[in-house]
């Protein structure tokens, strides 16, 4: 018989050890201990969730790289860029959800917080269904825009068609998770992902390699494993929202639409959607340049990026914690507490991620060897360059979370655009001398033949510009006025 109390004691012991980290930072005077522990408590489950999902994406690339040639890895990376269009819109909409729900919960308006979830669900249907249709019809032509490698086009199109079947369920999962997190419950989404992500990895393994009675599907197996698991995740989250006892609830009956609330969701989500789309579409010309340097460069970039995401992943946890804490403080009418939560959460995020990045940079070559025997040097280089971006990524994400909690999402978009412009301008220098493009009748030849050096520089500059813009915006304090003007989640008057 399972001794439940034993597991609870072990869990409590693990938590007490982990919480020595924010306590130590408090003793060093880097942050307020209570606020640091509160942020860490909210961030930890999201970090676990993000880490297991990153392990999933890394496992995808690892298994595909074992089973298939480099063209399949490159095709997987190209397909991901289009899937990220839908993912980015889902992330933006769910970010609007956490912003609005956290402010309404902070103000004690629980019914309106629940209704915000219903608005998010309807918006997710309107966005995801057309994207699914486009992917089914135009998968191959879309991949063809990024590469002239026939094998990469074929593999990428197969993956894209299949994985987008589950896009609506991905939207539902993210909205539900952010709604729960906005109410202060970051553990339930973690538990769901601890169930569905290992299921995804197992399905991918048996379907990619054809283990046991299952057919060997190659890259299609990776897509089907992901689509099935995303559908399972969406159904579980939908059940949790319909059930009671989780802080928020989706009610299917009654009123279906509130233009004012939907407008606030869109107002918060639109710049975030713009930021995600800028980043996603900006990767297309970036990947085009990498492709001109060779398919092995694309494969090395893809693997290096996935590996270092393990160091970057805590930023999602702290960003979520910052959104929740800043939003709830503003909903309760305490602007000073909101500002302190923003700064302290950013501090603990930065220290956490620098420690992880240092280890990954030190063992970059050993990590690269696990994934590939063909592009070890290239992959090692990308891992180390991405490790140098971790500090900027941490600050940019945590500050963006704080601004998002206040409903101020425009300036992170500006930072994204500025960073992308710098990235593309610098990476163009990697092209061979004499490479010419014609845009609106104007021919330009940006290439200086700098090769991989320009690629590395472009990545670094992009991330640090984004961090600088977000920090500068938060320092102005103008996000407080934006939160006040929105009217969502304002503390009730004493009059």
């Amino acid at each position: 018989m399972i001794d439940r109390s034993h597991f609870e004691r072990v869990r409590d012991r693990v938590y007490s050890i982990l919480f020595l980290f924010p306590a130590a930072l408090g003793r060093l005077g880097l942050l307020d201990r209570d606020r640091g522990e509160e942020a860490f408590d909210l961030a930890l489950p999201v970090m676990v969730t993000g880490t297991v999902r990153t392990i999933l994406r890394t496992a995808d690339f690892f298994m595909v790289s074992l089973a298939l040639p480099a063209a399949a890895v490159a095709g997987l990376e190209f397909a991901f860029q289009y899937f990220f269009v839908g993912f980015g819109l889902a992330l933006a909409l769910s970010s609007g959800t956490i912003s609005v729900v956290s402010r309404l919960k902070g103000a004690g308006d629980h019914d309106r917080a629940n209704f915000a979830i219903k608005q998010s669900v309807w918006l997710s249907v309107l966005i995801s269904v057309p994207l699914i249709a486009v992917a089914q019809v135009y998968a191959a032509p879309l991949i063809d825009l990024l590469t002239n490698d026939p094998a990469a086009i074929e593999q990428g199109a197969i993956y894209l068609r299949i994985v987008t079947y589950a896009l609506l369920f991905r939207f539902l999962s993210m909205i539900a998770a952010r709604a729960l997190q906005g109410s202060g419950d970051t553990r339930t989404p973690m538990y769901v992902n601890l169930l569905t992500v290992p299921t995804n990895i197992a399905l991918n393994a048996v379907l990619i390699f054809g283990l046991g009675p299952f057919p060997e599907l190659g890259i299609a197996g990776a897509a089907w494993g992901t689509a099935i698991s995303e559908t399972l995740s969406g159904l579980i989250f939908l059940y949790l929202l319909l059930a009671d006892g989780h802080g928020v609830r989706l009610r299917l009956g009654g009123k279906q639409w509130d233009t004012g609330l939907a407008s606030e969701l869109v107002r918060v989500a639109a710049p975030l959607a713009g930021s995600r789309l800028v980043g996603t579409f900006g990767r297309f010309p970036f990947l085009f340049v990498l492709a001109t340097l060779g398919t092995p460069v694309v494969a090395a970039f893809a693997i290096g990026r996935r590996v270092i995401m393990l160091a970057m992943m805590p930023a999602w946890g702290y960003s979520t914690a910052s959104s929740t804490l800043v939003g709830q403080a503003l909903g309760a009418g305490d602007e000073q507490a909101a500002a302190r939560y923003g700064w302290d959460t950013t501090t603990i995020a930065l220290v956490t991620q620098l420690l992880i990045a240092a280890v990954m940079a030190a063992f970059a070559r050993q990590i690269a060897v696990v994934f590939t025997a063909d592009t070890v040097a290239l992959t090692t280089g990308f891992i180390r360059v991405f490790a140098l971006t971790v500090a900027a990524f941490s600050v940019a994400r945590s500050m963006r979370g704080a601004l998002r909690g206040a409903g101020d999402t425009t300036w992170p978009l500006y930072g994204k655009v500025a960073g992308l412009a710098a990235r593309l301008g610098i990476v163009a220098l990697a092209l061979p001398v004499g490479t010419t493009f014609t845009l609106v009748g104007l021919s330009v030849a940006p290439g200086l033949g700098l090769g991989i050096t320009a690629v590395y520089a472009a990545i670094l500059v992009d991330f640090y510009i984004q961090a600088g813009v977000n920090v500068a915006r938060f320092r102005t304090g103008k996000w407080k006025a934006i939160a006040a003007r929105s009217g969502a989640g304002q503390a009730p008057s004493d009059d």
Side-chain angles (χ1 to χ4, degrees):
M1 184 175 179
I2 297 175
D3 184 357
R4 184 179 178 87
S5 63
H6 172 71
F7 286 105
E8 290 175 348
R9 287 196 299 271
V10 171
R11 181 199 62 193
D12 292 343
R13 179 60 178 164
V14 170
Y15 266 84
S16 66
I17 293 171
L18 291 173
F19 272 81
L20 293 175
F21 177 60
L25 297 182
R27 284 195 295 272
L28 291 172
L30 296 176
L31 47 76
D32 176 82
R33 176 173 176 172
D34 290 338
R35 286 194 297 273
E37 289 182 346
E38 196 172 354
F40 189 72
D41 185 45
L42 284 172
L44 187 58
V46 184
M47 284 190 273
V48 173
T49 298
T51 299
V52 295
R53 293 199 71 88
T54 300
I55 291 172
L56 165 63
R57 296 280 77 85
T58 306
D60 275 356
F61 276 84
F62 176 66
M63 288 186 279
V64 169
S65 69
L66 288 180
L68 298 165
V73 179
L76 186 59
E77 177 68 11
F78 292 135
F80 264 130
Q81 304 317 308
Y82 289 107
F83 184 69
F84 282 153
V85 173
F87 177 81
L89 291 173
L91 184 61
L93 179 57
S94 63
S95 295
T97 304
I98 192 175
S99 175
V100 173
V101 168
S102 63
R103 281 180 278 152
L104 289 169
K105 295 290 283 188
D109 194 345
H110 304 294
D111 289 340
R112 195 161 173 78
N114 289 337
F115 195 77
I117 301 171
K118 181 183 289 188
Q119 301 300 277
S120 295
V121 170
W122 277 119
L123 288 169
S124 73
V125 173
L126 294 173
I127 296 169
S128 63
V129 171
L131 293 176
I132 295 170
V134 169
Q136 300 314 304
V137 177
Y138 298 107
L142 289 171
I143 303 296
D144 185 42
L145 293 174
L146 302 179
T147 180
N148 59 4
D149 185 331
I153 294 169
E154 179 186 7
Q155 297 291 307
I158 290 171
Y159 186 90
L160 183 60
R161 285 193 193 97
I162 297 170
V163 78
T164 49
Y165 286 141
L167 186 58
L168 175 58
F169 292 98
R170 183 65 182 144
F171 268 78
L172 292 175
S173 295
M174 295 183 71
I175 288 167
R178 290 306 181 102
L180 291 164
Q181 291 160 357
S183 72
D185 178 6
T186 57
R187 296 188 182 185
T188 298
M190 176 185 71
Y191 297 144
V192 175
N193 279 278
L194 286 175
L195 170 65
T196 57
V197 171
T199 301
N200 196 162
I201 293 173
L203 284 172
N204 284 8
V206 299
L207 293 175
I208 289 172
F209 297 106
L211 303 180
F214 295 92
E216 182 180 343
L217 299 179
I219 199 168
W224 278 118
T226 299
I228 293 168
S229 299
E230 292 287 8
T231 301
L232 174 63
S233 177
L235 291 174
I236 292 173
F237 272 117
L238 181 60
Y239 169 78
L240 292 172
L241 285 182
L242 292 173
D244 208 351
H246 295 283
V248 290
R249 188 174 183 183
L250 174 62
R251 302 182 186 278
L252 298 180
K255 184 180 178 182
Q256 297 295 315
W257 190 258
D258 182 308
T259 301
L261 196 54
S263 297
E264 176 61 9
L265 284 165
V266 171
R267 185 193 69 79
V268 175
L272 293 168
S275 178
R276 294 297 301 187
L277 292 175
V278 164
T280 298
F281 288 117
R283 277 194 291 267
F284 294 159
F286 184 79
L287 286 172
F288 172 81
V289 174
L290 293 189
T292 65
L293 300 179
T295 297
V297 175
V298 178
F301 166 81
I303 294 171
R305 183 170 176 268
R306 290 304 178 284
V307 168
I308 207 63
M309 286 304 292
L310 290 171
M312 292 179 170
M313 191 48 60
W316 271 276
Y318 288 116
S319 178
T320 298
S322 191
S323 290
T324 300
L325 294 169
V326 169
Q328 290 185 351
L330 289 170
D334 193 341
E335 293 181 345
Q336 289 187 345
R340 290 193 291 266
Y341 276 125
W343 291 118
D344 282 351
T345 304
T346 299
T347 299
I348 191 173
L350 180 59
V351 176
T352 302
Q353 292 181 254
L354 285 177
L355 293 173
I356 301 172
V359 173
M360 289 194 163
F363 293 97
R365 183 172 181 81
Q366 291 86 338
I367 295 170
V369 169
V370 173
F371 284 86
T372 178
D374 301 325
T375 60
V376 172
L378 279 171
T379 303
T380 300
F382 274 114
I383 292 173
R384 288 176 174 158
V385 168
F386 277 119
L388 293 175
T389 70
V390 165
F393 185 85
S394 175
V395 171
R397 281 295 170 125
S398 299
M399 286 278 91
R400 189 174 81 177
L403 292 167
R404 179 179 60 205
D408 183 3
T409 52
T410 302
W411 276 87
L413 171 60
Y414 298 156
K416 189 75 173 181
V417 171
L420 177 63
R423 174 187 284 225
L424 296 181
I426 295 171
V427 80
L429 305 179
L431 293 166
V433 175
T435 302
T436 303
F437 299 98
T438 301
L439 301 172
V440 197
L442 177 65
S443 295
V444 293
L448 294 180
L450 298 184
I452 202 72
T453 301
V455 174
Y456 291 161
I459 293 170
L460 287 166
V461 171
D462 179 3
F463 281 107
Y464 279 91
I465 286 176
Q466 291 183 58
V469 170
N470 290 355
V471 169
R473 177 60 175 180
F474 195 76
R475 285 180 65 89
T476 67
K478 293 180 180 179
W479 46 272
K480 300 173 186 176
I482 290 175
R485 286 198 302 269
S486 74
Q490 292 304 296
S493 171
D494 292 333
D495 295 340

